[in-house]
Amino acid sequence: MGENDLFTIKKNEKVGRFAVAKENLKAGDVIFSEIPFAYGPKSDSPVICLGCYNYLETINLCSKCSWPVCNTNCQNKSAHKDFECEVFSKAGVKFQTVEDPSEVCLQYECITPLRVLLATEKNPSRWNEEIQHMEAHNDIRKQKPIWEFNQHNVVEYLRSACKLDRFSEELIHTVCGILEINAFEARTPEGYSIRCLYPKLAIMSHNCVSNIHHAIDCKGSGDADDYSVNVRAAVDVEAGGELHSSYTYSLWPTLVRREFLRESKYFDCTCERCSDKTELGTQCGTLKCQKCDNGIILSTDPLDDKCEWKCTHCEYKTNAVAIRKVFAAIQTDLDGVEYTFGPEGIEARETLYKKYKSVLHPKNSYMTILRSGLVQLYGKAEGYALSDLPDLILERKVELCNQLLEVLDVIEPGNSRIRGLILFELHGPLMVLARHQYQNDVIDKEKFKKELRRIIDILGQSLKILKQEPPSLPEGQLALIAEQAHEQLIQNFDVLIETA
């Protein structure tokens, strides 16, 4: 570990390696930074540029290896030029044209494993010290379809077509397993997703309530030090306290999180949140009973994915398999509106919100996900600017933000990215509402001042979190807007009171 790292590694038989705080940590403290051992396209990738990872509607090929890139600049980026480009050129392996570049392209499955394999030769000391001991779960994966898939699309392709038989089948499968289990998602400056292998970050054990936060900075250079990560304490952590990352999406309910972890990371999570039928009081997986007025439907054993689910007020019973089907149907509806923005995005989400309001507990995960989308659209979509919204809609945005924060306080406490975003979204409607109330004599000057100070504090909390985000990311850019707005509110406080 680095000299400045604020964690140490421990081991036990149950979980293997894990990290603990070397000293008392305050929320926001940088625990460590690192650059990825390797990075590249995710599995199931469509056709993307191998230099910058943008999606390609029309395919332009590298003049040296004949694989897709945007242009000469991308062709010459180190991540491509010094890795697969050399291999493909030497072996004469060219990209095979596809009909639809937006569809999953199996030719891309080999790219990131190949980059890891080549990195073992370019940086053997780091491979030996940090990577080769990472969990690959080859014993489990051999029994699953993914092993046969990788055998055909990665192992045989690299060893035969690419003439890389110096890498054994076992090593290539191990690399695939290390990537599947340990890689983290990163975003390019344009918002596209890739995967990166961070050995230190991978040591952090999983918990469905994380106490650390990581931010990945893409400089867009394509060099070896691109996609560096900063890992900070999200909350205060005492010396010796275990450091937890989350390997799954925190807003999902327990049934979905545990299924994802079992299928992709090969373990059953038994953390405090997963073990609690109310998910620490958030009710993220809870449904309303359709057979009685006041009952809610809860799991009888959250760690059993086939157990009974019962109503708290009547005799109604169902089972986890049926509940999982309900969640899958709702997720399909949410997926259908994920990339719908503007007024249509608001209307589509409000329709789903009304549809599931009578089915799901108000704090259920899917209601929370819908709220998250709505608060980021109200105030931005055409025809829904904050200055144009009636007080009723402004109050709705405030209510949605507060309901979100109530859940986030439990499942993503402290300095989490989403918390910073929601606090920023909250300050705007509060500001407009306070001005309207003062102008209409609903509140007096002193109450208006008090409310403005509260709004400045909320924006300050948002700024504190968002400033930790790299400027290459949208959240980092939002931090600049938040900082400017915060300074203006403080500097013009008296003027705002007099001119409201």
Side-chain angles (χ1 to χ4, degrees), residues 404-425:
L404 261 169
L405 290 169
E406 205 174 316
V407 174
L408 294 176
D409 283 344
V410 179
I411 65 172
E412 285 216 20
N415 294 357
S416 68
R417 182 182 293 114
I418 187 171
R419 182 179 174 79
L421 287 171
I422 301 307
L423 286 168
F424 181 85
E425 294 295 341

Side-chain angles (χ1 to χ4, degrees), residues 325-371:
K325 288 179 180 177
V326 171
F327 287 167
I330 296 172
Q331 185 63 58
T332 299
D333 274 352
L334 266 61
D335 290 344
V337 303
E338 184 179 1
Y339 298 106
T340 306
F341 304 108
E344 297 82 7
I346 291 177
E347 290 165 15
R349 286 169 178 81
E350 287 287 15
T351 298
L352 290 181
Y353 195 93
K354 289 173 187 172
K355 177 180 178 180
Y356 292 117
K357 194 174 182 180
S358 61
V359 177
L360 303 175
H361 187 283
K363 290 185 181 178
N364 182 283
S365 287
Y366 298 107
M367 300 300 279
T368 299
I369 293 168
L370 284 169
R371 287 187 187 101

